[in-house]
Amino acid sequence: SSIGNYEHLYLMAAGPEYGGDIGVGASILGNPALTWEKILSHNISLNVGIWNRINFTAEWYKKKTRDMLMSVPVSMVSGFAYRRQNVGKMENSGFEFDFNADILKINDFTWNFATNFAYNKNEITELYNGQDEYVIPNTGTKLEVGKPVGSFYEARFAGVDPINGDALWYTKDGRITNQYS
């Protein structure tokens, strides 16, 4: 078994995560106020092998990220909907199990069975300026304390008005409206 406690510094790169925004890397290079994200990582793992035919691995981990590189809304007077800042905190925790067994070994023939199971919980623990939540403009996603990063935030569809064919939506308090908001 092994026990680890590591502190890593990461830079969030552009890509499929933060909407394909290639400008993230350029923002970091062009803004000396931006810094590396900081991650404190703990993990414990156990690896058991029997007769060189059966292997079992179990691992638990917890990662705490601070100084996250996030989109922060700004006044539209600037011409932009948001800017990148080192704000917020997030936790990732979870476990993974792997099982692998050679069921049958005859000469050069091996029949193997393998399976794994993984669980990860991602949670924002702090946003900028003490905010509990905010919507990232033009993305359909919302950042909210206590929720995972990348949660979608959309109006819930309530069907179609049979009289005029308008789409109907649920409001926050569960009422039905034809106003998408």
Side-chain angles (χ1 to χ4, degrees):
S1 67
S2 63
I3 298 175
N5 181 1
Y6 310 98
E7 178 142 355
H8 301 282
L9 300 178
Y10 288 102
L11 173 65
M12 294 303 291
E17 291 88 10
Y18 285 90
D21 186 358
I22 303 301
V24 173
S27 295
I28 293 166
L29 296 174
N31 185 349
L34 296 178
T35 64
W36 297 90
E37 289 186 344
K38 295 161 188 78
I39 297 177
L40 178 63
S41 177
H42 307 276
N43 71 343
I44 298 173
S45 64
L46 172 68
N47 188 334
V48 177
I50 301 172
W51 304 303
N52 201 26
R53 290 181 68 159
I54 298 172
N55 290 296
F56 174 77
T57 302
E59 181 174 4
W60 170 87
Y61 61 89
K62 186 168 196 170
K63 296 178 182 179
K64 293 184 177 186
T65 304
R66 62 185 169 94
D67 295 335
M68 290 172 48
L69 187 58
M70 300 178 78
S71 300
V72 176
V74 295
S75 169
M76 290 300 289
V77 175
S78 68
F80 298 96
Y82 61 90
R83 69 172 181 256
R84 304 282 184 191
Q85 284 186 296
N86 289 103
V87 294
K89 295 179 182 176
M90 174 181 63
E91 285 188 11
N92 273 299
S93 60
F95 52 87
E96 185 169 342
F97 298 102
D98 290 300
F99 178 78
N100 185 322
D102 290 336
I103 296 171
L104 186 61
K105 283 181 119 176
I106 301 172
N107 298 325
D108 291 337
F109 176 80
T110 301
W111 181 21
N112 181 274
F113 172 80
T115 187
N116 71 346
F117 174 80
Y119 171 80
N120 180 68
K121 180 181 179 188
N122 173 281
E123 180 180 348
I124 296 172
T125 56
E126 183 181 302
L127 292 171
Y128 79 102
N129 290 340
Q131 298 288 313
D132 289 329
E133 66 180 49
Y134 69 89
V135 175
I136 300 174
N138 305 318
T139 65
T141 59
K142 176 169 77 170
L143 300 174
E144 183 175 355
V145 172
K147 302 283 182 172
V149 170
S151 295
F152 286 97
Y153 181 69
E154 300 287 337
R156 290 185 304 147
F157 183 66
V160 177
D161 187 331
I163 295 171
N164 59 20
D166 285 351
L168 299 174
W169 309 96
Y170 287 106
T171 64
K172 276 184 164 181
D173 56 6
R175 290 181 292 149
I176 295 177
T177 182
N178 64 352
Q179 299 296 311
Y180 183 84
S181 174

